[in-house]
Amino acid sequence: MNWKAVAAAAAMAGLAVGSVTAADGTQDSRVAQMKQMGGSTGALSAIAKGSKPYDAEAVKAALTTIATTAKAFPEQFKPGSDMNDPGASPKIWENMEDFKARSEKLSADAETALAQLPADAAAVGAAVNTLGANCAGCHKAYRLSK
């Protein structure tokens, strides 16, 4: 039995359940989804930097999590849900179409990387650079500094 595949499947199931249970449009659900994407990005970065060995199943799991979560993320910003969220700029609600477009681009770029599945650490690094640029642009536009 391939224990890595089993572990990756279990992790994906846990992430999927976490996405469903955390998708209630609250600040807590937004934070939980950002942590899912951040954890996946961290896993990819560790492979790209060589601190973790290349693992195709881990790469697939991370890219799938990013693609799925980014696609659902804007739905967590319902009108009126900006109250008491110290990290979310009011610009999100003012520019929702742009915010959604940025999230869709992140999801599409993750899906593209998944379809082309990076075959080594260098290719994972290239994917991380693309995804990271998406994240940085959105954070610059829509995240308030702590």
Side-chain angles (χ1 to χ4, degrees):
M1 180 176 285
N2 183 344
W3 289 105
K4 284 184 182 180
V6 171
M12 285 302 299
L15 290 174
V17 169
S19 292
V20 171
T21 59
D24 61 2
T26 65
Q27 178 197 8
D28 289 343
S29 69
R30 295 191 284 261
V31 169
Q33 287 187 343
M34 287 302 291
K35 285 183 178 184
Q36 287 175 338
M37 287 193 283
S40 294
T41 302
L44 293 172
S45 294
I47 292 170
K49 292 176 184 174
S51 59
K52 297 277 184 184
Y54 176 83
D55 179 346
E57 292 303 316
V59 172
K60 285 181 192 177
L63 290 171
T64 299
T65 296
I66 293 168
T68 304
T69 306
K71 193 175 290 182
F73 193 60
E75 298 307 315
Q76 301 310 303
F77 293 85
K78 305 227 182 281
S81 67
D82 57 333
M83 305 302 174
N84 302 318
D85 190 336
S89 171
K91 292 178 184 177
I92 293 171
W93 291 268
E94 295 166 8
N95 303 312
M96 185 55 74
E97 290 307 311
D98 179 63
F99 183 72
K100 286 181 179 179
R102 288 172 183 267
S103 190
E104 288 170 10
K105 181 170 180 353
L106 174 59
S107 179
D109 285 349
E111 288 173 350
T112 298
L114 184 60
Q116 299 169 355
L117 192 61
D120 59 23
V124 171
V128 168
N129 287 340
T130 298
L131 299 175
N134 288 328
C135 295
C138 196
H139 281 200
K140 183 177 180 181
Y142 297 115
R143 184 172 186 221
L144 297 176
S145 299
K146 292 183 180 183

